[in-house]
């Protein structure tokens, strides 16, 4: 089933990967792999205990989230600080889920691996079921920058910038409903049905809490609270501050950064050199804080996937020098005006976006 409404430019096959890009990508992978091996040799504890360290990172992020929530409940931590701390903790859990998808922890202990995925999903209820996301993410690596890169397209990659994309960046459900008017009724219905499976039950509960929180506070602002609403207000406030709003913040930061460090539409399949850039300007730090420095390190992952996130963060300064020396772009902020094209846009990209990836499953 065709999920995309593609322009003529997008339908045209991408040019073959230039030979020099293949050579440079090979050099980058080789040198970053060497940095990784040298770091592990220097600190063998990291190599011998990779799975245990991944579990400890997850448990630590969960403990940080619970402690922040308890401090908030006792009045010892203000709401704004709680939201920030929990969003930071959940960004670590997101990286652990990503590493699990790549088989970096407990690859031979599926029950423990699945338990870790479930914990990370509970911490981040606005996300797609991680077992479904796994297939989408691996496809992202196979086809980054092309129309079949459904994971990135679903978070607005390739869409012209404006109010619509800004709203879609903040929430996957908003993105889904804004896409539906551009689809055929049969496709829209299929997307809705399969979204219920992919997002349920956690994302449905998450959005129920978010909408309930907004509605009750709107009624409070109108001085129209009922007794039942007054009784619900403390619970809704706690869930919003300790669970819902941190993930809204984290999702926006991650989707904004991720959808703008990747390129789309004029990238040949497999051309790793043109799939992604590095964004590390200082004014992106507030966004990077809640997505584990994603903009500054994700390009490294495209060339060397078998590295846990915490090692990638430690080796990133040296790895970024390798990327720069071999032609990977840095801080190409004109991508915002080019709708993420690598080169200059020849035509306006299609306004009709891809629907949720699940419609084609």
């Amino acid at each position: 089933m065709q999920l995309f409404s593609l322009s003529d430019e997008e339908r045209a096959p991408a040019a073959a990967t230039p030979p020099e890009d293949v050579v440079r990508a090979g050099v980058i992978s080789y040198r970053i792999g060497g940095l990784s091996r040298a770091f592990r040799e220097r600190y063998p504890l990291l190599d011998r205990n990779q799975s245990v360290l991944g579990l400890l990172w997850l448990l630590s992020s969960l403990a940080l989230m619970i402690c922040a929530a308890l401090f908030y409940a006792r009045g010892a931590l203000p709401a704004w600080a709680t939201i920030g701390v929990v969003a930071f903790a959940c960004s670590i859990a997101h990286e652990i889920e990503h590493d699990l998808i790549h088989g970096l922890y407990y690859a031979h202990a599926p029950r423990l691996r699945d338990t870790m995925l479930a914990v990370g999903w509970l911490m981040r209820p606005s996300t797609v079921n991680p077992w479904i996301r796994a297939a989408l993410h691996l496809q992202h690596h196979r086809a980054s920058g092309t129309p079949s890169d459904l994971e990135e397209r679903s978070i607005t990659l390739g869409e012209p910038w404006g109010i619509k994309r800004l709203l879609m960046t903040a929430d996957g459900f908003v993105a889904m409903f804004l896409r539906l008017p551009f689809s055929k009724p049969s496709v829209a219905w299929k997307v809705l049905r399969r979204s219920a499976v992919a997002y349920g039950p956690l994302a449905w509960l998450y959005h129920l809490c978010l909408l309930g929180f907004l509605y009750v506070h709107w009624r409070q602002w109108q001085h129209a609270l009922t007794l039942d609403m007054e009784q619900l207000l403390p619970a809704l406030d706690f869930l919003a501050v300790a669970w819902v709003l941190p993930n809204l913040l984290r999702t926006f930061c991650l989707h904004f950064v991720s959808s703008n460090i990747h390129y789309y539409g004029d990238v040949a399949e497999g051309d790793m050199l043109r799939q992604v850039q590095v964004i590390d300007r200082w004014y992106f730090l507030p966004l990077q804080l809640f997505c584990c420095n994603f903009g500054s390190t994700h390009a490294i992952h495209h060339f060397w996937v078998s590295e846990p996130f915490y090692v990638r963060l430690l080796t990133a300064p040296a790895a970024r020098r390798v990327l720069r020396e071999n032609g990977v772009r840095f801080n190409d902020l004109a991508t915002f005006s080019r709708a993420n094209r690598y080169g200059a846009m020849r035509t306006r990209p299609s306004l009709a976006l891809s629907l949720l990836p699940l419609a084609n499953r």
Side-chain angles (χ1 to χ4, degrees):
M1 180 188 300
Q2 179 63 54
L3 297 185
F4 303 96
S5 179
L6 302 176
S7 66
D8 291 339
E9 178 186 7
E10 290 171 320
R11 287 194 185 94
T17 305
E20 59 270 22
D21 285 7
V22 176
V23 173
R24 288 178 176 179
V27 170
I28 292 171
S29 297
Y30 176 78
R31 290 183 61 186
I32 290 180
L35 289 172
S36 172
R37 287 187 291 272
F39 191 84
R40 288 168 178 271
E41 289 173 3
R42 186 176 179 183
Y43 301 102
L45 179 69
L46 297 176
D47 203 37
R48 292 197 301 264
N49 299 282
Q50 181 168 299
S51 292
V52 173
L53 289 171
L55 178 59
L56 289 176
W57 273 108
L58 179 62
L59 293 177
S60 298
S61 65
L62 177 61
L64 180 61
M65 181 180 183
I66 292 172
C67 287
L70 291 175
F71 278 123
Y72 170 70
R74 292 174 176 269
L77 198 63
W80 64 267
T82 304
I83 291 170
V85 171
V86 173
F88 175 77
C90 290
S91 72
I92 296 174
H94 180 85
E95 291 300 316
I96 295 296
E97 177 182 290
H98 173 257
D99 287 352
L100 285 165
I101 287 172
H102 284 285
L104 300 185
Y105 313 127
Y106 296 109
H108 303 294
R111 289 186 179 179
L112 183 52
R113 175 182 176 274
D114 288 344
T115 300
M116 291 175 69
L117 285 172
V119 170
W121 192 21
L122 284 168
M123 293 175 65
R124 301 154 34 258
S126 59
T127 59
V128 171
N129 179 317
W131 293 274
I132 292 176
R133 183 194 168 218
L136 301 176
H137 183 70
L138 296 178
Q139 172 64 12
H140 161 66
H141 278 277
R142 288 190 293 266
S144 183
T146 71
S148 59
D149 181 5
L150 299 177
E151 182 179 51
E152 286 297 325
R153 290 215 69 186
S154 70
I155 62 169
T156 74
L157 178 66
E159 170 72 4
W161 263 103
I163 296 298
K164 180 181 176 181
R165 179 165 176 174
L166 191 66
L167 292 173
M168 294 169 71
T169 301
D171 188 86
F173 270 29
V174 172
M176 176 184 67
F177 284 112
L178 287 178
R179 289 173 180 134
L180 293 181
F182 297 99
S183 63
K184 296 179 180 179
S186 59
V187 174
W189 176 241
K190 192 171 186 179
V191 168
L192 287 171
R193 283 190 293 111
R194 297 196 175 185
S195 297
V197 175
Y199 277 103
L202 290 183
W204 298 104
L205 179 60
Y206 164 88
H207 283 90
L208 182 63
C209 290
L210 176 60
L211 292 174
F213 170 78
L214 295 174
Y215 176 73
V216 170
H217 277 276
W218 176 67
R219 292 293 296 267
Q220 185 183 43
W221 177 70
Q222 289 191 320
H223 303 287
L225 278 181
T226 65
L227 180 59
D228 289 340
M229 289 179 185
E230 288 182 358
Q231 292 175 343
L232 278 175
L233 192 56
L236 285 173
D237 282 350
F238 176 78
L239 287 172
V241 171
W243 197 44
V244 175
L245 296 180
N247 275 290
L248 187 65
L249 171 63
R250 183 198 64 82
T251 297
F252 176 82
C253 293
L254 176 64
H255 288 185
F256 183 92
V257 172
S258 182
S259 67
N260 288 294
I261 63 171
H262 290 91
Y263 290 107
Y264 171 75
D266 56 355
V267 178
E269 186 167 332
D271 188 350
M272 295 167 60
L273 204 71
R274 303 189 185 204
Q275 289 176 356
V276 69
Q277 66 160 316
V278 174
I279 289 181
D280 59 1
R281 291 277 172 84
W282 65 267
Y283 42 78
F284 286 104
L285 287 176
L287 297 171
Q288 306 271 35
L289 178 63
F290 301 115
C291 60
C292 265
N293 207 21
F294 194 88
S296 184
T297 61
H298 184 68
I300 302 167
H301 171 68
H302 270 242
F303 293 94
W304 193 254
V305 299
S306 57
E307 192 73 280
F309 83 97
Y310 51 88
V311 176
R312 186 163 59 251
L313 288 171
L314 294 171
T315 59
R320 281 195 295 268
R321 287 195 292 271
V322 174
L323 296 177
R324 190 186 293 274
E325 290 168 3
N326 289 277
V328 172
R329 289 181 178 176
F330 276 64
N331 300 305
D332 174 21
L333 304 187
T335 186
F336 290 94
S337 63
R338 300 195 308 265
N340 307 125
R341 268 50 178 185
Y342 190 85
M345 290 168 56
R346 297 190 297 274
T347 62
R348 181 179 176 83
S350 170
L351 290 176
L353 301 176
S354 60
L355 299 176
L356 275 183
L358 304 159
N360 202 32
R361 290 181 65 83

